[in-house]
Amino acid sequence: MAAVDIVLINPGDRKQVYQGLGVELAAIEPPFWVAVIAAYLRQEGFRVAIIDANAENSAPAETAQRAAALKPLLSCVVVYGSHPSASTQNMTIAGAICRALTAESAGRVALSGLHPSALPERTMREEAIDFVVEGEGPDTLRTLLGELAAPAPDLSRVPGLWYREGELLRSTPRAPLISDLDRYLPIAAWDLLPMHVYRAHNWHCFDDIGHRSPYGAVYTSLGCPYNCIFCCINAPFGKPGIRYRSPERVVEEIALLANDYGVKNLKIVDELFVLKEQHYMAIVDGIIERGLDLNIWAYARVDTIKTANLARMKQAGINWLALGIESASPDVRDGADKRMQARDIKEVVRSIREQGIRIIGNFIFGLPDDTRETMEETLQLAMELNCEFINFYCAMAYPGSRLYDLAVEQGWELPVAWHGFSQHGYDMLPLPTRTLTAREVLQFRDDAFHRYFANPVYLDMVEQTFGAGVRKHLVEMSATRLKRKLLGN
């Protein structure tokens, strides 16, 4: 097999992260960030390969052997994840892949992504790697490949790089934030991915539960302008903020996925898609103009929804909006959402559903000011809203978040291994609150999940909306009780 300059590796261990839910229920998402970096580097003249170890369920040894066969200058494990929390929880398997790459002599070995950017020095000290890419990555990797191919490499010229010089660790200033997203985020290298493997979330396809593949995922922007205490999304960027790809480029990419790969189910990966009206509505209008038949889900905030736009969004195929409701208590809820009252949330949810758009509500238990009473209040709000699907999370101190810094400062107990940051993992360890232990928070969350999905009002709504088959599917799903080390089950 011909040599390449770089092999980009997407790590993952669905069994460790999701337990029994990973077999059929969890989505297998195409790693857009890996594929778009590949496209950029190929555009710059480098020979690139991708190994999606997560999608192909490839063990570390097998992944390393495949990489070594490509004879790369550099093997880069990109620990990004489909949502901010997914980066840290994949560090355990990423570390195992790096050890295998080093043992197989698969070129120099680098780690990049959200978690390595949040903890670059610790990552360098703990992992069997040559480099950490701190920051966004494309410019760092381009420059690094150029230096590795040079007769006398000078790593000090590479922005955003951690490396070893003898026994010393060295680092260079981060590369400037990408300004021209259309150049640095070209249409992704979908041809390098195993597109037949990917599948959408079960809830995303409730209208057609038997057809979860093929599945696509795209970014239309980078970053988030907010600074919620529990979120680590901005770790690679160094500060809150948001930058946009052009709507024309986004629509072109979505059309390519639909026409060349048969993608109907699509996730817009942006942390906050429904924010800048002229951006997201230009994409909506472009999809409508091209007549694409899509089933899209995207993230929004309750206070960014404009009801006048919902009908056109639905026409474009935006069938699901994920809302970060977090908590019923304004005193517990983080950031600007503190101004939103429960009655405002209910009104926005009603407006969205009136247009035929489904809602996946995201709620967090165990934020610093939570009590048993406020968590029960949040659960009751969730049950009253009766969203078509919900995610119940525990507050976790993800590296790169302000909550992580606070946890370290206060000496709060954190998971022993990185996979303990997985919300669904056996070793999961949430944060305590000022009045509740970590065990009490986790017990409440797991009980709340089963209370919600066993609620006859919810199940009746699901059957009326999606049919008896989806009701049966949800009953079977909620029969899987997660095993938790902390709970002794």
Short mmCIF file of all heavy atoms in Angstrom, two decimals, residues 10-73:
data_model
loop_
_atom_site.label_atom_id
_atom_site.label_comp_id
_atom_site.label_asym_id
_atom_site.label_seq_id
_atom_site.Cartn_x
_atom_site.Cartn_y
_atom_site.Cartn_z
N ASN A 10 -9.95 8.34 14.22
CA ASN A 10 -11.06 8.67 15.10
C ASN A 10 -11.21 7.54 16.12
O ASN A 10 -11.59 6.42 15.76
CB ASN A 10 -12.36 8.82 14.29
CG ASN A 10 -13.54 9.17 15.16
OD1 ASN A 10 -13.46 10.03 16.04
ND2 ASN A 10 -14.68 8.52 14.92
N PRO A 11 -10.94 7.80 17.42
CA PRO A 11 -11.01 6.73 18.41
C PRO A 11 -12.41 6.56 18.97
O PRO A 11 -13.25 7.46 18.85
CB PRO A 11 -10.06 7.24 19.50
CG PRO A 11 -10.27 8.72 19.47
CD PRO A 11 -10.52 9.08 18.02
N GLY A 12 -12.66 5.44 19.59
CA GLY A 12 -13.94 5.23 20.25
C GLY A 12 -14.07 3.82 20.76
O GLY A 12 -13.47 2.89 20.21
N ASP A 13 -14.82 3.67 21.84
CA ASP A 13 -15.09 2.37 22.42
C ASP A 13 -16.54 2.40 22.89
O ASP A 13 -16.84 2.79 24.01
CB ASP A 13 -14.14 2.09 23.58
CG ASP A 13 -14.26 0.67 24.12
OD1 ASP A 13 -15.36 0.07 23.96
OD2 ASP A 13 -13.30 0.16 24.71
N ARG A 14 -17.46 2.01 22.00
CA ARG A 14 -18.88 2.17 22.30
C ARG A 14 -19.32 1.34 23.50
O ARG A 14 -20.17 1.75 24.27
CB ARG A 14 -19.72 1.83 21.06
CG ARG A 14 -19.50 2.78 19.90
CD ARG A 14 -20.61 2.69 18.88
NE ARG A 14 -20.78 1.39 18.30
CZ ARG A 14 -20.06 0.91 17.30
NH1 ARG A 14 -19.07 1.65 16.79
NH2 ARG A 14 -20.30 -0.28 16.80
N LYS A 15 -18.73 0.16 23.67
CA LYS A 15 -19.13 -0.69 24.79
C LYS A 15 -18.75 -0.04 26.11
O LYS A 15 -19.53 -0.03 27.08
CB LYS A 15 -18.48 -2.06 24.68
CG LYS A 15 -18.93 -3.03 25.77
CD LYS A 15 -18.36 -4.42 25.55
CE LYS A 15 -18.83 -5.37 26.65
NZ LYS A 15 -18.27 -6.73 26.48
N GLN A 16 -17.53 0.52 26.19
CA GLN A 16 -17.09 1.14 27.43
C GLN A 16 -17.86 2.42 27.73
O GLN A 16 -18.18 2.71 28.89
CB GLN A 16 -15.58 1.45 27.33
CG GLN A 16 -14.95 1.95 28.62
CD GLN A 16 -13.46 2.14 28.46
OE1 GLN A 16 -13.02 3.08 27.82
NE2 GLN A 16 -12.68 1.24 29.05
N VAL A 17 -18.20 3.16 26.71
CA VAL A 17 -18.84 4.46 26.89
C VAL A 17 -20.35 4.33 27.12
O VAL A 17 -20.92 5.04 27.93
CB VAL A 17 -18.55 5.37 25.66
CG1 VAL A 17 -19.43 6.60 25.67
CG2 VAL A 17 -17.07 5.77 25.64
N TYR A 18 -21.00 3.39 26.41
CA TYR A 18 -22.46 3.31 26.45
C TYR A 18 -23.01 2.04 27.08
O TYR A 18 -24.22 1.88 27.17
CB TYR A 18 -23.02 3.42 25.03
CG TYR A 18 -22.78 4.75 24.38
CD1 TYR A 18 -21.86 4.89 23.34
CD2 TYR A 18 -23.46 5.89 24.80
CE1 TYR A 18 -21.63 6.12 22.73
CE2 TYR A 18 -23.24 7.12 24.20
CZ TYR A 18 -22.33 7.22 23.17
OH TYR A 18 -22.09 8.43 22.58
N GLN A 19 -22.13 1.09 27.50
CA GLN A 19 -22.57 -0.20 28.00
C GLN A 19 -23.49 -0.86 26.96
O GLN A 19 -23.24 -0.81 25.77
CB GLN A 19 -23.25 -0.06 29.37
CG GLN A 19 -22.32 0.51 30.46
CD GLN A 19 -22.96 0.46 31.82
OE1 GLN A 19 -23.35 -0.59 32.29
NE2 GLN A 19 -23.02 1.61 32.48
N GLY A 20 -24.60 -1.49 27.41
CA GLY A 20 -25.49 -2.20 26.50
C GLY A 20 -26.18 -1.30 25.49
O GLY A 20 -26.65 -1.76 24.45
N LEU A 21 -26.25 0.02 25.77
CA LEU A 21 -26.91 0.94 24.85
C LEU A 21 -26.13 1.13 23.57
O LEU A 21 -26.67 1.60 22.57
CB LEU A 21 -27.12 2.30 25.54
CG LEU A 21 -27.97 2.31 26.81
CD1 LEU A 21 -28.02 3.71 27.39
CD2 LEU A 21 -29.38 1.80 26.55
N GLY A 22 -24.82 0.81 23.60
CA GLY A 22 -23.98 1.06 22.44
C GLY A 22 -24.17 0.08 21.31
O GLY A 22 -23.75 0.32 20.18
N VAL A 23 -24.82 -1.06 21.58
CA VAL A 23 -24.94 -2.10 20.56
C VAL A 23 -25.87 -1.64 19.43
O VAL A 23 -25.52 -1.67 18.26
CB VAL A 23 -25.44 -3.41 21.19
CG1 VAL A 23 -25.60 -4.48 20.10
CG2 VAL A 23 -24.48 -3.89 22.26
N GLU A 24 -27.07 -1.19 19.77
CA GLU A 24 -28.04 -0.81 18.75
C GLU A 24 -28.60 0.59 18.90
O GLU A 24 -28.96 1.24 17.93
CB GLU A 24 -29.21 -1.81 18.75
CG GLU A 24 -28.85 -3.20 18.25
CD GLU A 24 -28.41 -3.22 16.79
OE1 GLU A 24 -28.81 -2.30 16.04
OE2 GLU A 24 -27.67 -4.13 16.40
N LEU A 25 -28.67 1.09 20.15
CA LEU A 25 -29.38 2.35 20.38
C LEU A 25 -28.54 3.58 20.05
O LEU A 25 -29.05 4.56 19.52
CB LEU A 25 -29.85 2.42 21.83
CG LEU A 25 -30.90 1.36 22.23
CD1 LEU A 25 -31.24 1.50 23.71
CD2 LEU A 25 -32.15 1.48 21.38
N ALA A 26 -27.25 3.55 20.40
CA ALA A 26 -26.40 4.73 20.21
C ALA A 26 -26.17 4.98 18.72
O ALA A 26 -26.10 4.06 17.91
CB ALA A 26 -25.07 4.54 20.92
N ALA A 27 -26.04 6.26 18.38
CA ALA A 27 -25.70 6.62 17.01
C ALA A 27 -24.24 6.29 16.74
O ALA A 27 -23.41 6.22 17.65
CB ALA A 27 -25.95 8.11 16.79
N ILE A 28 -23.94 6.07 15.46
CA ILE A 28 -22.54 6.00 15.01
C ILE A 28 -22.38 7.17 14.05
O ILE A 28 -22.85 7.14 12.92
CB ILE A 28 -22.21 4.67 14.32
CG1 ILE A 28 -22.55 3.49 15.24
CG2 ILE A 28 -20.75 4.62 13.93
CD1 ILE A 28 -22.36 2.13 14.58
N GLU A 29 -21.73 8.21 14.54
CA GLU A 29 -21.71 9.48 13.81
C GLU A 29 -20.44 9.62 12.98
O GLU A 29 -19.34 9.32 13.46
CB GLU A 29 -21.79 10.63 14.80
CG GLU A 29 -21.91 11.99 14.16
CD GLU A 29 -22.19 13.07 15.20
OE1 GLU A 29 -23.13 12.90 15.99
OE2 GLU A 29 -21.45 14.07 15.21
N PRO A 30 -20.55 10.06 11.74
CA PRO A 30 -19.34 10.31 10.97
C PRO A 30 -18.52 11.43 11.60
O PRO A 30 -19.08 12.45 12.01
CB PRO A 30 -19.88 10.72 9.59
CG PRO A 30 -21.28 11.14 9.82
CD PRO A 30 -21.78 10.36 10.99
N PRO A 31 -17.20 11.24 11.70
CA PRO A 31 -16.35 12.24 12.39
C PRO A 31 -16.05 13.41 11.46
O PRO A 31 -15.00 13.47 10.82
CB PRO A 31 -15.09 11.44 12.72
CG PRO A 31 -14.99 10.43 11.62
CD PRO A 31 -16.42 10.07 11.25
N PHE A 32 -16.99 14.36 11.41
CA PHE A 32 -16.84 15.47 10.47
C PHE A 32 -15.53 16.22 10.66
O PHE A 32 -14.85 16.58 9.69
CB PHE A 32 -18.02 16.45 10.62
CG PHE A 32 -17.91 17.64 9.70
CD1 PHE A 32 -18.31 17.56 8.39
CD2 PHE A 32 -17.38 18.85 10.15
CE1 PHE A 32 -18.19 18.64 7.52
CE2 PHE A 32 -17.25 19.94 9.30
CZ PHE A 32 -17.66 19.84 7.99
N TRP A 33 -15.14 16.45 11.92
CA TRP A 33 -13.93 17.24 12.15
C TRP A 33 -12.70 16.53 11.58
O TRP A 33 -11.81 17.16 11.00
CB TRP A 33 -13.75 17.52 13.64
CG TRP A 33 -12.67 18.51 13.94
CD1 TRP A 33 -11.50 18.28 14.60
CD2 TRP A 33 -12.64 19.89 13.57
NE1 TRP A 33 -10.75 19.42 14.67
CE2 TRP A 33 -11.42 20.43 14.05
CE3 TRP A 33 -13.53 20.73 12.90
CZ2 TRP A 33 -11.08 21.77 13.87
CZ3 TRP A 33 -13.17 22.06 12.71
CH2 TRP A 33 -11.98 22.56 13.21
N VAL A 34 -12.64 15.21 11.72
CA VAL A 34 -11.54 14.44 11.13
C VAL A 34 -11.57 14.56 9.61
O VAL A 34 -10.54 14.81 8.96
CB VAL A 34 -11.64 12.96 11.56
CG1 VAL A 34 -10.62 12.11 10.81
CG2 VAL A 34 -11.44 12.82 13.06
N ALA A 35 -12.76 14.41 9.04
CA ALA A 35 -12.89 14.42 7.59
C ALA A 35 -12.61 15.79 7.00
O ALA A 35 -12.09 15.90 5.88
CB ALA A 35 -14.28 13.94 7.18
N VAL A 36 -12.93 16.85 7.73
CA VAL A 36 -12.69 18.19 7.18
C VAL A 36 -11.22 18.57 7.30
O VAL A 36 -10.66 19.24 6.42
CB VAL A 36 -13.62 19.24 7.86
CG1 VAL A 36 -13.06 19.74 9.18
CG2 VAL A 36 -13.89 20.40 6.92
N ILE A 37 -10.54 18.11 8.36
CA ILE A 37 -9.09 18.31 8.45
C ILE A 37 -8.40 17.55 7.32
O ILE A 37 -7.46 18.05 6.68
CB ILE A 37 -8.55 17.88 9.82
CG1 ILE A 37 -9.01 18.85 10.90
CG2 ILE A 37 -7.02 17.81 9.82
CD1 ILE A 37 -8.61 18.45 12.31
N ALA A 38 -8.88 16.32 7.05
CA ALA A 38 -8.31 15.54 5.95
C ALA A 38 -8.47 16.28 4.63
O ALA A 38 -7.54 16.33 3.81
CB ALA A 38 -9.00 14.18 5.89
N ALA A 39 -9.65 16.86 4.41
CA ALA A 39 -9.88 17.59 3.16
C ALA A 39 -8.97 18.80 3.05
O ALA A 39 -8.43 19.09 1.97
CB ALA A 39 -11.35 18.01 3.09
N TYR A 40 -8.79 19.51 4.17
CA TYR A 40 -7.91 20.69 4.14
C TYR A 40 -6.47 20.29 3.84
O TYR A 40 -5.81 20.91 2.98
CB TYR A 40 -7.98 21.42 5.49
CG TYR A 40 -6.89 22.44 5.66
CD1 TYR A 40 -6.91 23.63 4.92
CD2 TYR A 40 -5.82 22.23 6.52
CE1 TYR A 40 -5.89 24.57 5.04
CE2 TYR A 40 -4.81 23.16 6.66
CZ TYR A 40 -4.84 24.33 5.92
OH TYR A 40 -3.83 25.25 6.04
N LEU A 41 -5.97 19.25 4.51
CA LEU A 41 -4.58 18.83 4.28
C LEU A 41 -4.40 18.30 2.86
O LEU A 41 -3.36 18.54 2.22
CB LEU A 41 -4.18 17.78 5.31
CG LEU A 41 -4.09 18.28 6.76
CD1 LEU A 41 -3.82 17.13 7.71
CD2 LEU A 41 -2.99 19.35 6.91
N ARG A 42 -5.38 17.61 2.35
CA ARG A 42 -5.30 17.12 0.96
C ARG A 42 -5.30 18.30 -0.01
O ARG A 42 -4.57 18.30 -1.00
CB ARG A 42 -6.49 16.19 0.70
CG ARG A 42 -6.36 15.35 -0.54
CD ARG A 42 -7.30 14.16 -0.52
NE ARG A 42 -8.71 14.53 -0.48
CZ ARG A 42 -9.70 13.63 -0.51
NH1 ARG A 42 -9.42 12.34 -0.57
NH2 ARG A 42 -10.96 14.02 -0.48
N GLN A 43 -6.09 19.29 0.31
CA GLN A 43 -6.13 20.52 -0.49
C GLN A 43 -4.77 21.21 -0.51
O GLN A 43 -4.39 21.85 -1.50
CB GLN A 43 -7.19 21.43 0.13
CG GLN A 43 -7.32 22.82 -0.39
CD GLN A 43 -8.38 23.58 0.41
OE1 GLN A 43 -9.57 23.40 0.19
NE2 GLN A 43 -7.98 24.41 1.35
N GLU A 44 -4.02 21.06 0.61
CA GLU A 44 -2.68 21.66 0.72
C GLU A 44 -1.58 20.78 0.13
O GLU A 44 -0.40 21.11 0.25
CB GLU A 44 -2.38 21.95 2.19
CG GLU A 44 -3.29 22.99 2.83
CD GLU A 44 -3.16 24.36 2.19
OE1 GLU A 44 -2.01 24.87 2.13
OE2 GLU A 44 -4.18 24.92 1.74
N GLY A 45 -1.97 19.66 -0.48
CA GLY A 45 -1.00 18.84 -1.20
C GLY A 45 -0.48 17.63 -0.46
O GLY A 45 0.42 16.94 -0.97
N PHE A 46 -1.03 17.32 0.70
CA PHE A 46 -0.55 16.16 1.47
C PHE A 46 -1.37 14.91 1.13
O PHE A 46 -2.54 15.00 0.76
CB PHE A 46 -0.63 16.44 2.97
CG PHE A 46 0.28 17.55 3.42
CD1 PHE A 46 -0.23 18.83 3.67
CD2 PHE A 46 1.64 17.33 3.56
CE1 PHE A 46 0.62 19.86 4.07
CE2 PHE A 46 2.49 18.36 3.95
CZ PHE A 46 1.98 19.62 4.21
N ARG A 47 -0.73 13.76 1.31
CA ARG A 47 -1.39 12.47 1.12
C ARG A 47 -1.99 12.06 2.47
O ARG A 47 -1.27 11.96 3.46
CB ARG A 47 -0.39 11.43 0.63
CG ARG A 47 0.22 11.76 -0.74
CD ARG A 47 1.48 10.95 -0.99
NE ARG A 47 2.49 11.26 0.01
CZ ARG A 47 3.65 10.59 0.14
NH1 ARG A 47 3.91 9.56 -0.64
NH2 ARG A 47 4.52 10.94 1.07
N VAL A 48 -3.29 11.81 2.46
CA VAL A 48 -4.03 11.65 3.72
C VAL A 48 -4.85 10.37 3.70
O VAL A 48 -5.40 9.98 2.67
CB VAL A 48 -4.99 12.85 3.93
CG1 VAL A 48 -5.67 12.77 5.30
CG2 VAL A 48 -4.25 14.18 3.79
N ALA A 49 -4.92 9.72 4.87
CA ALA A 49 -5.81 8.58 5.06
C ALA A 49 -6.55 8.77 6.38
O ALA A 49 -6.09 9.50 7.27
CB ALA A 49 -5.03 7.27 5.07
N ILE A 50 -7.71 8.12 6.50
CA ILE A 50 -8.50 8.16 7.74
C ILE A 50 -8.78 6.72 8.17
O ILE A 50 -9.12 5.87 7.34
CB ILE A 50 -9.84 8.89 7.53
CG1 ILE A 50 -9.63 10.38 7.23
CG2 ILE A 50 -10.73 8.74 8.77
CD1 ILE A 50 -10.92 11.12 6.88
N ILE A 51 -8.66 6.47 9.47
CA ILE A 51 -9.14 5.23 10.06
C ILE A 51 -10.18 5.60 11.10
O ILE A 51 -9.85 6.26 12.10
CB ILE A 51 -7.99 4.42 10.71
CG1 ILE A 51 -6.94 4.02 9.67
CG2 ILE A 51 -8.55 3.18 11.42
CD1 ILE A 51 -5.71 3.34 10.27
N ASP A 52 -11.42 5.21 10.87
CA ASP A 52 -12.47 5.48 11.85
C ASP A 52 -12.60 4.24 12.74
O ASP A 52 -13.44 3.36 12.51
CB ASP A 52 -13.80 5.80 11.17
CG ASP A 52 -14.83 6.33 12.16
OD1 ASP A 52 -14.62 6.16 13.38
OD2 ASP A 52 -15.85 6.90 11.72
N ALA A 53 -11.75 4.19 13.76
CA ALA A 53 -11.71 3.02 14.65
C ALA A 53 -13.01 2.87 15.43
O ALA A 53 -13.40 1.76 15.79
CB ALA A 53 -10.52 3.14 15.61
N ASN A 54 -13.68 3.98 15.69
CA ASN A 54 -14.95 3.92 16.42
C ASN A 54 -16.03 3.26 15.56
O ASN A 54 -16.67 2.30 15.99
CB ASN A 54 -15.39 5.33 16.82
CG ASN A 54 -16.73 5.34 17.53
OD1 ASN A 54 -16.90 4.71 18.57
ND2 ASN A 54 -17.70 6.03 16.94
N ALA A 55 -16.21 3.76 14.36
CA ALA A 55 -17.27 3.23 13.51
C ALA A 55 -17.03 1.78 13.14
O ALA A 55 -17.97 0.98 13.05
CB ALA A 55 -17.39 4.08 12.24
N GLU A 56 -15.77 1.41 12.91
CA GLU A 56 -15.45 0.06 12.45
C GLU A 56 -15.16 -0.89 13.61
O GLU A 56 -14.79 -2.04 13.37
CB GLU A 56 -14.28 0.13 11.49
CG GLU A 56 -14.59 0.96 10.24
CD GLU A 56 -13.43 1.05 9.27
OE1 GLU A 56 -13.27 0.11 8.48
OE2 GLU A 56 -12.69 2.04 9.33
N ASN A 57 -15.33 -0.40 14.85
CA ASN A 57 -15.09 -1.23 16.03
C ASN A 57 -13.71 -1.90 15.97
O ASN A 57 -13.56 -3.09 16.26
CB ASN A 57 -16.18 -2.28 16.18
CG ASN A 57 -17.05 -2.04 17.41
OD1 ASN A 57 -16.75 -1.16 18.22
ND2 ASN A 57 -18.10 -2.80 17.55
N SER A 58 -12.73 -1.12 15.59
CA SER A 58 -11.37 -1.62 15.41
C SER A 58 -10.61 -1.53 16.73
O SER A 58 -10.54 -0.47 17.36
CB SER A 58 -10.66 -0.79 14.33
OG SER A 58 -9.31 -1.14 14.22
N ALA A 59 -10.02 -2.63 17.18
CA ALA A 59 -9.24 -2.65 18.42
C ALA A 59 -7.95 -1.86 18.22
O ALA A 59 -7.48 -1.70 17.10
CB ALA A 59 -8.92 -4.09 18.81
N PRO A 60 -7.35 -1.36 19.32
CA PRO A 60 -6.13 -0.56 19.19
C PRO A 60 -5.02 -1.24 18.39
O PRO A 60 -4.39 -0.60 17.53
CB PRO A 60 -5.71 -0.33 20.64
CG PRO A 60 -7.00 -0.32 21.39
CD PRO A 60 -7.85 -1.35 20.72
N ALA A 61 -4.79 -2.52 18.62
CA ALA A 61 -3.72 -3.22 17.89
C ALA A 61 -4.01 -3.25 16.40
O ALA A 61 -3.11 -3.01 15.57
CB ALA A 61 -3.54 -4.64 18.44
N GLU A 62 -5.25 -3.55 16.04
CA GLU A 62 -5.64 -3.59 14.63
C GLU A 62 -5.53 -2.21 14.00
O GLU A 62 -5.04 -2.05 12.87
CB GLU A 62 -7.06 -4.12 14.49
CG GLU A 62 -7.56 -4.19 13.06
CD GLU A 62 -9.04 -4.52 12.96
OE1 GLU A 62 -9.66 -4.83 14.01
OE2 GLU A 62 -9.58 -4.46 11.84
N THR A 63 -5.98 -1.20 14.72
CA THR A 63 -5.88 0.18 14.22
C THR A 63 -4.43 0.55 13.95
O THR A 63 -4.11 1.13 12.90
CB THR A 63 -6.49 1.15 15.25
OG1 THR A 63 -7.87 0.83 15.45
CG2 THR A 63 -6.38 2.59 14.78
N ALA A 64 -3.55 0.22 14.90
CA ALA A 64 -2.14 0.56 14.75
C ALA A 64 -1.50 -0.19 13.59
O ALA A 64 -0.68 0.38 12.85
CB ALA A 64 -1.40 0.25 16.05
N GLN A 65 -1.87 -1.45 13.40
CA GLN A 65 -1.31 -2.21 12.28
C GLN A 65 -1.75 -1.63 10.94
O GLN A 65 -0.95 -1.53 10.00
CB GLN A 65 -1.75 -3.67 12.39
CG GLN A 65 -1.08 -4.43 13.54
CD GLN A 65 -1.81 -5.70 13.93
OE1 GLN A 65 -2.75 -6.12 13.26
NE2 GLN A 65 -1.38 -6.32 15.03
N ARG A 66 -3.01 -1.21 10.87
CA ARG A 66 -3.50 -0.58 9.63
C ARG A 66 -2.77 0.73 9.38
O ARG A 66 -2.42 1.04 8.23
CB ARG A 66 -5.00 -0.34 9.72
CG ARG A 66 -5.84 -1.61 9.67
CD ARG A 66 -7.30 -1.31 9.91
NE ARG A 66 -7.85 -0.40 8.92
CZ ARG A 66 -9.05 0.17 9.02
NH1 ARG A 66 -9.82 -0.07 10.09
NH2 ARG A 66 -9.50 0.98 8.08
N ALA A 67 -2.55 1.50 10.44
CA ALA A 67 -1.83 2.77 10.28
C ALA A 67 -0.39 2.53 9.85
O ALA A 67 0.12 3.20 8.94
CB ALA A 67 -1.88 3.56 11.59
N ALA A 68 0.28 1.58 10.50
CA ALA A 68 1.69 1.30 10.18
C ALA A 68 1.85 0.86 8.73
O ALA A 68 2.86 1.19 8.07
CB ALA A 68 2.24 0.25 11.14
N ALA A 69 0.87 0.12 8.21
CA ALA A 69 0.94 -0.34 6.82
C ALA A 69 0.92 0.81 5.83
O ALA A 69 1.38 0.68 4.69
CB ALA A 69 -0.23 -1.29 6.53
N LEU A 70 0.40 1.96 6.27
CA LEU A 70 0.36 3.15 5.41
C LEU A 70 1.66 3.94 5.42
O LEU A 70 1.82 4.89 4.67
CB LEU A 70 -0.79 4.06 5.85
CG LEU A 70 -2.19 3.47 5.72
CD1 LEU A 70 -3.22 4.35 6.41
CD2 LEU A 70 -2.57 3.29 4.25
N LYS A 71 2.59 3.55 6.30
CA LYS A 71 3.92 4.19 6.42
C LYS A 71 3.83 5.72 6.51
O LYS A 71 4.46 6.44 5.73
CB LYS A 71 4.81 3.77 5.24
CG LYS A 71 5.11 2.27 5.19
CD LYS A 71 5.97 1.93 4.00
CE LYS A 71 6.45 0.48 4.06
NZ LYS A 71 5.38 -0.50 4.23
N PRO A 72 3.06 6.22 7.46
CA PRO A 72 2.87 7.68 7.53
C PRO A 72 4.05 8.38 8.20
O PRO A 72 4.75 7.80 9.03
CB PRO A 72 1.61 7.81 8.39
CG PRO A 72 1.70 6.63 9.33
CD PRO A 72 2.31 5.52 8.52
N LEU A 73 4.22 9.63 7.84
CA LEU A 73 5.11 10.49 8.62
C LEU A 73 4.52 10.72 10.01
O LEU A 73 5.23 10.77 11.01
CB LEU A 73 5.29 11.86 7.94
CG LEU A 73 6.24 11.99 6.76
CD1 LEU A 73 6.11 13.39 6.16
CD2 LEU A 73 7.67 11.72 7.19
#
